[in-house]
Amino acid sequence: MASIFGFRSRDPARDRQTDGSRLDRLAKLFEQIAVEIEAERAGLENRYRTKATNAAFLVEAMENGSTSDRRSSEVSELTKSILNCERRIAELSRQNGMMKELRHSLDMVFDENAASDSATTAGFARPAGAGRG
């Protein structure tokens, strides 16, 4: 489009293509991060279950007198590790929630762009006076 001042703007279709490409890259990045978060959480939950099981068996053995009292320091370490796992799992859940919110916001931007693009296209495609009556 040219104006009397010699300024040329870019074709709106090219702008939509550029915006779509940029938003698509961002969506893929959010998805990649969400997959990383989920993989870390799944691995951590597996280790958490193993540590909790080991701690339970150790405590039971101590209560039955099957082990020495010096193993109590091992229970303390397992308890500390379990608490750290719980803290990290909670943090990963918050991060996952944030990724979902960001993805939802991005989807809304996609939807807004699509709606404004179709409204703009419809406005240009409609002959003057069409739709009025």
Side-chain angles (χ1 to χ4, degrees):
M1 300 181 163
S3 75
I4 58 174
F5 302 110
F7 175 77
R8 291 181 48 96
S9 65
R10 198 159 70 172
D11 181 16
R14 185 172 173 203
D15 288 341
R16 286 189 297 276
Q17 182 182 14
T18 300
D19 292 346
S21 175
R22 188 175 297 123
L23 291 172
D24 187 49
R25 287 192 331 264
L26 192 53
K28 286 177 183 174
L29 178 61
F30 287 162
E31 186 62 31
Q32 178 185 357
I33 292 170
V35 167
E36 290 171 8
I37 291 169
E38 181 55 31
E40 183 180 350
R41 189 191 58 75
L44 191 56
E45 284 179 344
N46 286 334
R47 289 191 301 278
Y48 174 87
R49 282 191 290 277
T50 299
K51 289 184 183 295
T53 300
N54 291 344
F57 282 124
L58 186 55
V59 167
E60 184 177 347
M62 289 174 66
E63 288 174 351
N64 292 334
S66 305
T67 63
S68 65
D69 287 339
R70 63 188 172 115
R71 304 276 317 252
S72 66
S73 66
E74 197 174 329
V75 171
S76 178
E77 284 301 313
L78 284 169
T79 301
K80 187 173 156 181
S81 182
I82 288 168
L83 291 172
N84 286 336
C85 284
E86 289 174 350
R87 178 196 53 77
R88 183 61 180 159
I89 289 170
E91 175 61 29
L92 291 170
S93 293
R94 283 190 296 276
Q95 288 178 21
N96 195 31
M98 184 177 67
M99 284 297 109
K100 286 179 182 177
E101 287 177 22
L102 288 170
R103 182 56 204 245
H104 176 72
S105 296
L106 187 62
D107 288 342
M108 291 180 65
V109 169
F110 267 116
D111 293 344
E112 286 174 10
N113 283 349
S116 68
D117 287 348
S118 59
T120 301
T121 304
F124 285 125
R126 188 178 328 140
R132 295 186 190 145

